[in-house]
Amino acid sequence: MNNTSLAGRLVQEPEVKELESGKKVTNVTVAVQRSYKNSNGEYETDFIDCELWGHQAETTAEYCKKGDLIGVTGKIQTNTYEVEDGSKRKVTKVVANEVRFLSTAKEIPSDKTNLKDNSDDMDIE
């Protein structure tokens, strides 16, 4: 089973990109505070890359901004690629199945606060 849920604040303004296929995607980073303190008595933060597709991508970019609190449920996906020097790099991200707007300055219509996945919008490779 591959399923994860997280809640955190957007690190940057969400931007929709349209692919050659016409599908729309938004890549966001969510800052998620850990639930425990480190040896210095401070909470650390993880920065989780998330990929939103189609309606999720467009609505998140329309209604959310940097600093807004969102919830993301999805699957963890890892991709490996090779760089110029021949070494391999690994990228891990969450591909969203569901996005919830938990706090935002904009007034959001009730039908837009809980966005479920539309798999037809996803560009699965």
Side-chain angles (χ1 to χ4, degrees):
M1 182 185 317
N2 182 354
N3 192 28
T4 189
S5 295
L6 53 99
R9 300 208 175 267
L10 290 172
V11 173
Q12 76 274 1
E13 300 291 326
E15 276 185 47
V16 176
K17 294 181 184 172
E18 188 168 344
L19 305 178
E20 289 180 19
S21 65
K23 295 179 182 179
K24 295 183 179 168
V25 64
T26 297
N27 292 292
V28 297
T29 301
V30 179
V32 180
Q33 185 174 338
R34 293 183 184 173
S35 60
Y36 56 88
K37 294 180 181 181
N38 63 19
S39 59
N40 296 328
E42 301 168 339
Y43 290 103
E44 294 183 10
T45 302
D46 292 302
F47 296 89
I48 313 292
D49 293 327
C50 300
E51 186 173 81
L52 318 176
W53 288 93
H55 182 63
Q56 292 175 341
E58 293 176 297
T59 306
T60 300
E62 181 179 351
Y63 290 101
C64 295
K65 64 178 179 23
K66 178 180 178 179
D68 285 346
L69 184 64
I70 68 168
V72 177
T73 300
K75 62 183 178 183
I76 296 173
Q77 187 175 59
T78 303
N79 296 316
T80 305
Y81 64 95
E82 193 172 307
V83 293
E84 287 182 19
D85 67 4
S87 62
K88 292 190 177 187
R89 302 285 159 82
K90 184 168 36 172
V91 176
T92 303
K93 62 187 167 192
V94 174
V95 179
N97 294 332
E98 184 177 353
V99 177
R100 290 183 184 224
F101 302 151
L102 303 175
S103 76
T104 179
K106 285 190 176 181
E107 184 68 31
I108 302 173
S110 62
D111 65 329
K112 306 249 188 224
T113 59
N114 184 12
L115 305 173
K116 299 269 186 180
D117 167 27
N118 180 353
S119 295
D120 293 339
D121 290 334
M122 297 174 67
D123 189 27
I124 299 173
E125 298 172 6

